[in-house]
Amino acid sequence: AIPSVLGALAGALLLSVLVSRLTTVRRSPAPPVSGTEEAGDGSPAGEGWDRRGFVLAAASAAAASAAVGVAGRSLNTSRGRDAVASRGRVVLPAPRSPARPVPAGAGPRVPGVSPFLTPNDDFYRVDTALVVPKVDATGWRLRIHGRGVSRPATYAFDDLLRRELIERDITLTCVSNEVGGPYVGNARWTGVRLADLLAECGVRPPSRGGPGDQLVARSVDGMTIGSPVEELMDGRDAMLALGMNGEPLPFEHGFPARMVVPGLYGFVSACKWIEDIEITTFASYDPYWVKRGWARRAPIKTGSRIDTPKPFARPTSGTVMIAGVAWAQHRGIDKVEVRVDDGPWQMAHLAAEDTRDTWRQWSMPWRATRGGHTLTVRATDRTGAVQTDRRTRTLPDGASGRHSVVVTVE
Ligand SMILES: Nc1nc2c(c(=O)[nH]1)N[C@H]1C(S)=C(S)[C@@H](COP(=O)(O)O)O[C@H]1N2
Ligand SMILES: [Mo]
């Protein structure tokens, strides 16, 4: 908001200065018949609105603001130049532990359904950054310290690149995603297993006597994100990611490094532009979003979305493919069902599972009959829990409820 507010204030100030030049002339109640421009009620010539003066003032204001804009932009570019160069030099080594190939049947090839792997440019972005941080990897360091960290350490980017890397497909979800919303994406991440880094620094999870139960990650832009140490070290593929879909992290997604944790919403796990990891406790520190009323702990809720048909679509009667995605990271999706209007729940075809940390695509052919219809989806995760139809808001720990789409078949 700050740039917009400053801009609006500057604009208002300029406008009032310019307008004050206009209003010092008092016009006569009736238009003059003599046709002279200077006609007024007797104000001395040269005072008030002099058209040339006004145009000059306005034009120089426009020129000045354009110059400031150009200067600001070039300042911004030069600030990021070293960072861009450092990203350009990164060569991601082959991971020691590659992701298994995406199963052939993971994509149902239904037009309109989200692709199994979300391209970086289409990947949703949620953060508080007014300006995307452009970090120069050369000078970047990650520090690990805090309670129970018997061997605090600082890592440079190259230290991390030289370690054993893992590569995993993990679906990320934002707690602020409404039912049916767009803030979910699946990428192939490359990085360092976080549990290894933590163990190297002497960190033990609470279940093995560690004194800290919360890991607080800090980013270069001051964001703080708290994750449960227990889950980070319970064997899941929690990682410090350096690569996304085969390239260094895009700046928007956290270059040079970010956290990615299967099964936890981004605001309690996925710190971008990370530079500091502190082991502390949930009792002693509330990170950024928790201070604002969001939950301390937030596992991702089982969810599903209809990607096609789109809301208010007008398909023609006959066979219409209903398709979308369903996710229950780190539990896995076992079943997706679709209901037309108030009919019975019908089993959708589930595309092959990549891992339980990724979403699954699903589809169901529907013999569509003329008229308005409501399509509803629900997923069942591997714990057997059926996605609830109880609607909740996103605050404090994620929306629940089932996604419905209304269509008119013609
Ligand atoms: N530094 C920083 N990291 C952050 C955030 C942020 O605002 N600042 N937002 C978090 C939230 S709420 C989510 S959902 C994920 C989104 O990651 P993405 O933008 O790469 O999709 O980043 C997380 N990491
Ligand atoms: Mo989020």
Side-chain angles (χ1 to χ4, degrees), residues 123-129 133 172-176 183 185 189 218-225 244 252-254 258-259 265-274 288-289:
F123 206 95
Y124 83 87
R125 178 183 159 211
V126 171
D127 56 60
T128 58
L172 221 62
T173 310
C174 183
V175 70
S176 65
Y183 301 145
W189 308 93
R218 277 191 188 75
S219 68
V220 301
D221 65 334
M223 173 53 66
T224 51
I225 287 184
M244 180 178 186
E252 290 80 4
H253 297 291
R258 73 172 305 168
M259 281 177 46
Y265 282 118
F267 83 110
V268 290
S269 70
C271 189
K272 305 193 274 190
W273 316 294
I274 190 171
Y288 184 90
W289 289 112

Side-chain angles (χ1 to χ4, degrees), residues 262-284:
L264 305 182
Y265 282 118
F267 83 110
V268 290
S269 70
C271 189
K272 305 193 274 190
W273 316 294
I274 190 171
E275 65 172 1
D276 187 282
I277 285 179
E278 180 178 359
I279 305 298
T280 176
T281 61
F282 280 104
S284 64

Side-chain angles (χ1 to χ4, degrees), residues 52 79 82 118 175 212 221 347 362 384:
R52 189 181 330 156
R79 186 188 59 94
D82 293 345
T118 315
V175 70
D221 65 334
M347 199 71 82
W362 56 267

Side-chain angles (χ1 to χ4, degrees), residues 54-100:
F54 177 77
V55 168
L56 266 175
S60 36
S65 63
V68 168
V70 168
R73 191 171 284 257
S74 82
L75 211 73
N76 210 13
T77 320
S78 69
R79 186 188 59 94
R81 202 170 291 145
D82 293 345
V84 172
S86 78
R87 184 175 179 277
R89 284 191 299 270
V90 175
V91 179
L92 288 176
R96 171 73 67 90
S97 165
R100 47 174 163 164

Side-chain angles (χ1 to χ4, degrees), residues 223-301:
M223 173 53 66
T224 51
I225 287 184
S227 320
V229 176
E230 192 64 49
E231 274 87 332
L232 299 178
M233 302 185 80
D234 72 356
R236 72 184 72 197
D237 293 320
M239 67 163 106
L240 192 67
L242 312 171
M244 180 178 186
N245 289 328
E247 53 169 300
L249 290 177
F251 289 110
E252 290 80 4
H253 297 291
F255 182 83
R258 73 172 305 168
M259 281 177 46
V260 173
V261 183
L264 305 182
Y265 282 118
F267 83 110
V268 290
S269 70
C271 189
K272 305 193 274 190
W273 316 294
I274 190 171
E275 65 172 1
D276 187 282
I277 285 179
E278 180 178 359
I279 305 298
T280 176
T281 61
F282 280 104
S284 64
Y285 184 78
D286 283 341
Y288 184 90
W289 289 112
V290 176
K291 287 195 184 93
R292 286 155 180 82
W294 295 82
R296 285 197 177 81
R297 295 169 183 267
I300 297 173
K301 295 179 179 177

Side-chain angles (χ1 to χ4, degrees), residues 130-282:
L130 285 177
V131 179
V132 173
K134 291 239 171 84
V135 179
D136 182 344
T138 324
W140 175 88
R141 297 288 182 277
L142 172 71
R143 181 173 165 235
I144 301 183
H145 62 109
R147 274 202 218 192
V149 183
S150 51
R151 294 176 291 276
T154 301
Y155 300 90
F157 188 70
D158 286 342
D159 297 338
L160 297 174
L161 268 191
R162 274 196 293 267
R163 295 177 67 101
E164 234 177 64
L165 299 182
I166 61 170
E167 179 190 56
R168 295 291 181 268
D169 297 340
I170 298 169
T171 300
L172 221 62
T173 310
C174 183
V175 70
S176 65
N177 194 41
E178 301 283 356
V179 171
Y183 301 145
V184 50
N186 183 45
R188 176 159 286 193
W189 308 93
T190 309
V192 175
R193 186 185 285 281
L194 197 59
D196 293 349
L197 269 188
L198 295 176
E200 187 172 289
C201 297
V203 176
R204 279 170 296 132
S207 63
R208 280 191 272 135
D213 60 0
Q214 180 176 223
L215 177 153
V216 173
R218 277 191 188 75
S219 68
V220 301
D221 65 334
M223 173 53 66
T224 51
I225 287 184
S227 320
V229 176
E230 192 64 49
E231 274 87 332
L232 299 178
M233 302 185 80
D234 72 356
R236 72 184 72 197
D237 293 320
M239 67 163 106
L240 192 67
L242 312 171
M244 180 178 186
N245 289 328
E247 53 169 300
L249 290 177
F251 289 110
E252 290 80 4
H253 297 291
F255 182 83
R258 73 172 305 168
M259 281 177 46
V260 173
V261 183
L264 305 182
Y265 282 118
F267 83 110
V268 290
S269 70
C271 189
K272 305 193 274 190
W273 316 294
I274 190 171
E275 65 172 1
D276 187 282
I277 285 179
E278 180 178 359
I279 305 298
T280 176
T281 61
F282 280 104

